[in-house]
Each structure stands twice: as structure tokens, then as C-alpha cells.
Amino acid sequence: MSGYFDVHRGDWDAIYSARVGSLRWRMNRRFRKAVLGRMAFTLEAFSDIAGASVLDVGCGTGELGIRLAELGAARVVGIDSAAEMVRTATEHAERRGVAGTCRFIHGNFLTHPFEGAFTYTAALGVMDYVADAPAFLRRMWSLTERHMSVSFP
């Protein structure tokens, strides 16, 4: 699956970065309401973010983690199996001035050796690609101190 996301990184990135008013922006607002809605839901659920830590599983281009860093998260770690998504997330964090707070990892969430737990964990738009949902959710919960946000699908 990571090969698809490596090739189509720009399409996913455009959901959040398309120029306001452009055709792509209008199409995303119309046809990707679920993507935008789960982002809004999670930002609200994690509203007490100041000084907290966040793990974003399947971080894609990093939009959720970067927004949380901009809102005051002390530490954001994003992990994704697609190397191009991770590269883009890192570039976005640098450009938006939160590279010191955000770290994006190319790897496997189920086997990566994280250093401790996180105040908040999120997996948005990931469950369609998970072969063993119970194991995935158990791992997420084991890394969660306060709140976990997972979208289905």
C-alpha cells in the first residue's frame, strides 16, 4: 500500500494545501468531507493540547501533527509506511516552523520501538489498510495516556 501513497502523495497533500477557491480545493471540500471531518473532530477532541505529546499513526503528509504542534503540543511523532509521505510531512513542518516539535518516521507502527507513551494518539484514515485491527488497536492503546482518536474507515 505504501507504493500507492508514495506515488499519489500530491493528491493527498492537496486536500489541505490546495489554493483556496481553486477547482481542486472545491472538489476536495465536496467529495472529501469525511477526510476533513475526521480532522476537525480530532482537533476538537485534542483541544487540551498545550504541552502534550501526540502520536499520529499513518501521518501521511503530517497535517494533523503539524496543526497540533502549531496549537501547542510539546512533542509530535508521526509514523507512516510511505517514505514520500514522511518526506513531505518533514518539509511541511520545516516550512511552518514546527520542525523542532515534529518528528516524522518512515516505518511500521506495529514493530517500531517508540520511546514511551503519548498523551494523545490518532489514526485517521488508516483502518482500511490494517490487516489485524485488534492487534493494531491494542498497540495504539498501549501507547496512549489520555485519549485515542481512530476513524473507521
Side-chain angles (χ1 to χ4, degrees):
M1 203 78 243
S2 64
Y4 169 83
F5 289 104
D6 283 331
V7 171
H8 295 282
R9 169 199 54 82
D11 296 332
W12 289 99
D13 191 35
I15 294 171
Y16 307 106
S17 65
R19 187 178 49 79
V20 174
S22 69
L23 176 61
R24 182 172 260 183
W25 181 86
R26 291 193 310 269
M27 295 290 283
N28 285 333
R29 280 352 175 234
R30 180 170 180 96
F31 296 111
R32 294 201 166 132
K33 288 180 183 176
V35 173
L36 298 168
R38 63 189 180 216
M39 170 74 73
F41 173 85
T42 301
L43 288 169
E44 184 176 324
F46 294 5
S47 62
D48 185 21
I49 197 67
S53 59
V54 178
L55 173 62
D56 184 5
V57 182
C59 65
T61 60
E63 188 64 26
L64 175 64
I66 291 168
R67 286 189 190 188
L68 291 168
E70 291 170 339
L71 291 170
R75 178 175 68 114
V76 173
V77 175
I79 187 165
D80 203 291
S81 63
E84 283 301 305
M85 292 290 210
V86 170
R87 184 184 60 74
T88 300
T90 301
E91 290 172 0
H92 287 327
E94 290 169 0
R95 190 177 70 252
R96 289 166 64 179
V98 293
T101 303
C102 297
R103 183 173 137 233
F104 297 102
I105 302 164
H106 174 233
N108 182 327
F109 165 68
L110 290 173
T111 60
H112 184 79
F114 293 100
E115 297 173 12
F118 298 82
T119 314
Y120 297 101
T121 61
L124 307 183
V126 174
M127 296 309 292
D128 283 347
Y129 312 105
V130 172
D132 185 351
F136 182 93
L137 293 171
R138 275 192 302 274
R139 177 89 200 276
M140 253 188 104
W141 189 245
S142 75
L143 294 167
T144 304
E145 293 174 343
R146 188 180 303 164
H147 191 83
M148 182 170 90
S149 181
V150 180
S151 67
F152 296 87

